[in-house]
Amino acid sequence: DTAVSQTPKYLVTQMGNDKSIKCEQNLGHDTMYWYKQDSKKFLKIMFSYNNKELIINETVPNRFSPKSPDKAHLNLHINSLELGDSAVYFCASSHRADTQYFGPGTRLTVL
Amino acid sequence: QQQVKQSPQSLIVQKGGIPIINCAYENTAFDYFPWYQQFPGKGPALLIAIRPDVSEKKEGRFTISFNKSAKQFSLHIMDSQPGDSATYFCAARHNAGNMLTFGGGTRLMVKP
């Protein structure tokens, strides 16, 4: 019973392509997040989203957009992929301001 | 601008030693300070957390010490074991939006 799951686990694609990463949580949480972890292991928040509010880290390019079809899902869409987008992307969820639970990550490689 | 500074970047201790990882923050709007543990190929998992109205919190072999006036907090791992070898991240939560700002991480190796 995976609490926070992501697909795919690995994603290899060419520069300029558009791709999506899916995230699902079965914890009944109301808030979901996307984080980016670069090659130096540095973790940075990209988005925080609940059904009322989307908070965007101002440093995130507008090529990145979160889309939530329902409360249990928050997908990450990336347009016009660039080499610098290569990283591990983590989805997380929480109930309001409580503990955030992270998914296993998606390693994106842009060639 | 890194709002949460973590040190050291890497740490090697012998089994039974007490590794200490330090973090410092600047933003007084942070209201919650968790520590996450990450094993290779896995997502970060919450280890222990503290609020600024408490100076110390202990859970098993893990202790957080918090100094509000200095805006510093640290993680101590008592009787460290090889299984504790992982990357540790301190974090701070902003009181608006529940967004976490992470420190740069500390790669800990506990030698048998």
Side-chain angles (χ1 to χ4, degrees), chain A residues 27-33 35 92-102, chain B residues 31-32 34 36 46 49 51 93-94 97-100:
Chain A
L27 298 168
H29 289 165
D30 55 15
T31 306
M32 298 183 73
Y33 314 83
Y35 288 85
S93 72
S94 72
H95 176 61
R96 297 181 184 171
D98 291 343
T99 300
Q100 293 185 25
Y101 293 86
F102 283 74
Chain B
D31 65 353
Y32 176 71
Y36 281 80
L46 180 70
R51 298 186 187 277
R93 184 186 69 191
H94 199 281
N98 197 30
M99 295 172 78
L100 290 177

Side-chain angles (χ1 to χ4, degrees), chain B:
Chain B
Q1 181 185 4
Q2 191 173 351
Q3 292 194 47
V4 179
K5 296 183 179 179
Q6 183 171 345
S7 62
Q9 287 187 330
S10 62
L11 188 54
I12 301 173
V13 299
Q14 292 294 133
K15 178 183 174 183
I18 307 175
I20 301 172
I21 304 171
N22 300 299
C23 285
Y25 65 98
E26 299 166 2
N27 193 334
T28 56
F30 292 143
D31 65 353
Y32 176 71
F33 301 88
W35 285 88
Y36 281 80
Q37 180 188 54
Q38 185 180 26
F39 292 104
K42 304 292 185 183
L46 180 70
L47 191 62
I48 185 173
I50 196 167
R51 298 186 187 277
D53 54 348
V54 176
S55 61
E56 184 175 285
K57 184 172 181 181
K58 185 175 181 179
E59 287 185 3
R61 296 184 293 107
F62 301 92
T63 300
I64 301 178
S65 298
F66 190 87
N67 185 328
K68 187 176 181 178
S69 61
K71 297 182 191 172
Q72 296 175 347
F73 57 111
S74 59
L75 176 70
H76 300 230
I77 306 176
M78 308 300 289
D79 187 27
S80 59
Q81 302 296 312
D84 295 331
S85 297
T87 300
Y88 292 81
F89 293 93
C90 63
R93 184 186 69 191
H94 199 281
N95 58 15
N98 197 30
M99 295 172 78
L100 290 177
T101 297
F102 282 85
T106 296
R107 186 170 292 186
L108 172 66
M109 179 185 295
V110 181
K111 291 189 170 182

